[in-house]
Amino acid sequence: MTWGEAWRIARRDLNARFKGLRLLLVCLFLGTGALAAIGTLTAAIEGEIASSGQELLGGDLEIELWQRSLNAQEDAALAEYGSLTRGYRLQAMARRGDQAVPIGLKAVDDAYPLYGALTLQDGRNVGAPALDEAWLDRGAAERLGVEPGQTIAIGTRTLTVGGIIATEPDKLSEGFQLGPTVIVAEGLPEAAGLLAPGSMFQSKTRVAFATPRDPQAVRDELEDRFPEAGFDFRTADRASPGADRFVSRMSEFLTLVGLAALVIAGIGIGGGVTSYLDARRQAIATLKILGASSSDIARIYALQIGAAALAGSLAGLLVGVAVTPLLAVALSGLLPVETGFVVDPLALLTALAYGLLVAFVFAAPPLLRARHFPAMALMRARIAPLARDRQALIAVGAGLAAIVALALLTASNWQLSGLFLIGAAAALGLLALLGLAIRKIAGALPRPHNPIARNALANLHRPGSSTGALVTALGFGLAAFVLLAAVQSAIDGNIERRVPDQAPDYFVLDVPRDRVTAFEDLVRSEDPEADIRTVPALRGAVLAFGSDGDMTRTAELEEIPDGAWALRGERGLTYADEVPPGNTIVEGDWWGPFHEGEPLVSVDQEFAEAAGLEIGDLLTFGVLGTERTARIANLRTIDWESLGFNYVFVLSPNALDDVPHNLAATIELADETPTAPILQGLVREFPSSSVIEVGGILEQARTLLEQVGLATLAAASVAVLAGLSVLLGAIAAARAARTYDTVILRVLGADRRQVLAMQLIEYGVLALALAVVALGLGSLLAWLVITQLFEFDWLPDWSEIFAVLGMGLAVVMAFAIGGSLPLLRAKPAQALRTL
């Protein structure tokens, strides 16, 4: 029989609505749809970042520096490559009457923007405002209650609102800000008293190349010319590293969720195909009697199953593309992505390949098992189950190898994908062994006297029992419920339990050192019991580190060691006489007050281990163009959750106290103390300082974590649906044999209540046995997601997890009852005539 003839027979027999193969369609629809949406959205975002890199960055190359601008020599060197735009970024306060709002102040020169267009809501394309003018983000205008033409105060200057920003081309690359953006002229910060020596500000200088150049090559040239300058570079092809990391991390997580859904759904595919072929046993027998060979049978039903798999996969692709605009709208304020339809052929082909390969792997065993047997064996299949076909192992092995290769070749992080595949294989193996163990134990147990319980126990181990498929289905289904509850409750725990309990009411930046007493008096005039903590605040880069006489220059490192992130760029520095609150000395000794010997430094223990540093080693810092060397006196552990002042490097006062700098402060008020008078007083008396209300930061953090939780909930729901599909597949695959069993029991005198009780006992025993396994497996997966992927604390609500697990058990039993109802309606005479 040719493939064409096989297709004609397959097409005639294949129901137009794919009756009998709908489970296969649903499983593939879920998996391929998730992968298509994830791949398309990720490709769209990455493509937008790549194609609009110059506009997102505002140049071809950017140099960032803390507390200083480029000097004349550095500026001239950068200008050799093309046109420059210079500016500053700093936290500030904008005021109107009694209203004060923390803002991200963005000072730009007349050359801004080098790429893209800064557009106002009135339609104008503008550049830098005049010195007495400002462009306001809509959020800043709303919080201050101003419209164009009205005035606001920043520092010591009064500015006219010249317009409301509609589009800011380089907004994404600016990163996180503690307040809405206000754009002013380059000279405004200095004129307003915001750039005094020691103030915390960041200079940004961008270049648009006069001729096409490789940004990385230019960066290398500038690093060679100025190795100790402490430049932080950013290039157009990496315009927004934060967005890149976010997209990469979420893409990895969601792709793994899609793969998990496909793997789980694959088990349902196997059950669905088994059920479908069992329902076609008379047709197969008839074809064999008429002369069809085993190969012909395989071709006919492989074409049917292949057509259904292709239809389900294509439907998933269509839905994946269709939901991408909705996802783009949800992310439009966070990531650069177009809100229209996006079609990425590679992402769609990858999702389709995954779907078809999974269908092949799980459909091959039942299909190949049915092809080698004569007609009479097929007709007796309900009471003489078919043996396994060893040739299926070859097909399954080839399909699994293809899936592994595809996963590793298309993964952005092949180690993570490899670990996932190993974990999935281990989970499947564990559940397979557990199914075998349950059958062995059930067979070895004494027979109960109750005939209903005896038959329920026999169903677990008798020849042809569906225990193995049910164990896999229940195991993955219940584990998906646990995973969902554990991830969601752990995220809620991070929101509710840690941040609010340890946060001060205000952060204040750039408190002048010579006015710290006035600052404290002002706060305590409103709240005598206020807890005020001030620390020196500086910025510096680690220029060299290591043992005396054998120090490593940071600029000469080809790659920063894992965990030694503080070697990258400039970091916060401070000095102190005492161990900072929330820090614990784990090795070495702290210097005492009034230390006058060799400058010393205390280092975070984790950083020291990553950088290979020990007590007695040296660190050289670049601070405001000067070098300061200090010896490591001790190592500390830091409570990073406290939302206080946490520094990797704390130096002895004699190392830095002569460097121009200001102080940073936290204010924790007594309960029910009104905050408005303190805020207004600080803004009025300290116009160059920035007051940040922590409640706003916590609200942003809460919103972000809730968004992560919602995305995780939606993604994990796909796995839950896939797990339920698996359970349906297992029930459907066992239905034919259960119909025969039910009919025989009914003929022997069993009533419907007794048959239903047997089903409930069987499923109940399996569900309870698997609840413990699902609890462990789901909790482990949730722990990996929370601690390793999202880097949150592991704070699950176990009462919620157990409640969801109980709900999952109830759902399982509901499915069991639902799957048993058709069996109770079977007519004994009609069923016996079909044997």
Side-chain angles (χ1 to χ4, degrees), residues 168-185:
E168 183 184 349
D170 55 342
K171 183 176 182 178
L172 183 66
S173 68
E174 298 291 0
F176 179 74
Q177 296 181 137
L178 297 175
T181 300
V182 173
I183 299 179
V184 297

Side-chain angles (χ1 to χ4, degrees), residues 510-517 519 661-663 686 688-689:
D510 286 327
V511 178
R513 279 199 292 174
D514 58 353
R515 298 194 62 197
V516 65
T517 301
F519 172 83
H661 64 276
N662 289 325
L663 304 179
F686 296 87
S688 63
S689 300

Side-chain angles (χ1 to χ4, degrees), residues 473-546:
L474 292 175
F476 273 113
L478 292 174
F481 278 106
V482 172
L483 170 68
L484 188 65
V487 168
Q488 195 64 36
S489 67
I491 291 176
D492 290 341
N494 278 273
I495 295 173
E496 299 295 337
R497 298 183 191 177
R498 303 289 279 176
V499 175
D501 293 342
Q502 302 177 8
D505 294 285
Y506 290 104
F507 279 109
V508 186
L509 305 178
D510 286 327
V511 178
R513 279 199 292 174
D514 58 353
R515 298 194 62 197
V516 65
T517 301
F519 172 83
E520 293 177 347
D521 290 344
L522 188 154
V523 174
R524 291 204 166 92
S525 67
E526 299 292 341
D527 182 3
E529 298 181 3
D531 183 7
I532 304 171
R533 181 188 171 203
T534 59
V535 299
L538 302 92
R539 301 288 297 191
V542 178
L543 303 181
F545 61 96

Side-chain angles (χ1 to χ4, degrees), residues 548 591 595-601 616-618 629-632 652 654-655:
D548 202 352
W591 51 85
H595 174 76
E596 296 181 355
E598 180 183 23
L600 302 175
V601 60
D617 288 344
L618 298 175
T629 299
R631 191 175 298 277
I632 298 176
S652 58
N654 65 335

Side-chain angles (χ1 to χ4, degrees), residues 658-723:
D658 61 333
V659 178
H661 64 276
N662 289 325
L663 304 179
T666 59
I667 304 173
E668 188 170 347
L669 303 175
D671 293 341
E672 300 182 358
T673 299
T675 59
I678 293 178
L679 179 61
Q680 293 168 6
L682 290 173
V683 172
R684 182 179 62 252
E685 298 297 328
F686 296 87
S688 63
S689 300
S690 298
V691 184
I692 302 166
E693 193 169 8
V694 176
I697 301 175
L698 296 181
E699 190 60 35
Q700 292 183 53
R702 182 184 300 274
T703 300
L704 179 60
L705 288 172
E706 287 176 348
Q707 289 174 342
V708 172
L710 182 61
T712 306
L713 175 66
S717 296
V718 177
V720 171
L721 289 174

